Amino acid sequence: MKETNLEALETAFQAKIDKDIRIEPKDWMPEEYRKTLIRQISQHAHSEIVGMLPEGNWITRAPNLRRKAVLLAKVQDEAGHGLYLYSAVETLGADREATIDDLHSGKAKYSSIFNYPTLSWADMGAIGWLVDGAAIMNQVPLCRCSYGPYARAMVRVCKEESFHQRQGFEIMSTLANGTPIQKALAQDALNRFWWPALMMFGPNDSDSPHSQQSMDWKIKRFSNDELRQTFVDVTVPQAEMIGLTIPDPDLKFNEETGHYEFGAINWDEFWEVVKGNGPCNADRIAARRNAKENGQWVREAAMAHEEKRKAKQAS
Ligand code: FAQ
């Protein structure tokens, strides 16, 4: 393509973004915009699917029928989110199977948070409250993302995530108001999930190579640090309300700024987990690989059935 032609296309594309006009799959887009979206949306899809594992582990051990039904529904919602997101990736010309193979080979990233173990029932509360809470904080602005299919998928995802967040907070609140042992379980879950939840928002803005371009393209509407701060400001009073303590001796409210100041995040831990060396990375990938291999016969049977149906219809 001629230089001037390309420049004109790029200018028209940015003008659309600046006017908040959505970019749709058949519209012209810069290759880097397409690549950025494929990267982010596929990582997001993988996170939803891998994110089913830590909670799936507790479905058979939920303390009563109501809790079991709710947890089952939540984990199924996450599968649904993964499916919308893989479909959104396909609208960009990416091959779904290839993106999944990248997850299984360790090439593709997924959220660091899902590489931590779920040790007690209280972890189901902490995940809903903190992990879904952080996910909503990050995903509500994505409903206004410049890429149409991603933005539309996020609307439904966010509605479901907000139910997830509330059910998690309700578990935490029940445990925190229960026996001393139940309260201790809730506090222990908060202690283990607090810092990994803050890491979910990604590196500090000064160390985030993609943020500026993604903000210029209105893929991201707020920076990693802005969203993390909002999450802390919203979540600390919730912990106080149910009598739990945030595990951060440096946490304090700044009257002047109206924000909570918090302690240093352990970025070495974050990057180790992202690189594949977290407590559960190997287990998570092995579980996904097994699911694909063990499900092969189901896919083959479904295809054979479809072929038979088509042949019958044709005759
Ligand atoms: N974990 O330059 P940035 C959920 C990577 S869904 C692993 O700041 P960007 C629902 C990043 O990819 C949770 N890697 O990157 C649920 C990049 O690496 P690359 C997932 C991370 O894209 C709840 C590098 O670091 N949500 O929880 C992480 O501008 C409960 C540099 O970073 C989404 O995916 C991390 N935490 O900003 C399910 C939302 N953070 O690609 C089950 C959509 C950063 O160059 C149970 N994604 N990295 O190799 C986003 O909003 C963005 O992609 C960010 C990162 C904010 C995650």
Side-chain angles (χ1 to χ4, degrees), residues 134-145:
I136 299 172
M137 207 53 88
N138 165 278
Q139 288 169 16
V140 166
L142 289 174
C143 298
R144 293 189 295 122
C145 161

Side-chain angles (χ1 to χ4, degrees), residues 179-228:
T179 63
I181 291 178
Q182 286 172 325
K183 184 168 183 182
L185 282 176
Q187 182 62 54
D188 176 61
L190 170 58
N191 293 350
R192 284 181 289 106
F193 277 94
W194 175 253
W195 291 105
L198 296 196
M199 293 173 196
M200 274 178 79
F201 293 93
N204 288 134
D205 296 349
S206 51
D207 297 318
S208 163
H210 303 300
S211 276
Q212 191 52 55
Q213 181 62 80
S214 287
M215 290 188 57
D216 291 347
W217 278 331
K218 295 189 182 167
I219 295 173
K220 278 170 120 165
R221 296 279 181 161
F222 298 98
S223 75
N224 299 356
D225 286 331
E226 285 170 330
L227 291 172
R228 189 170 11 249

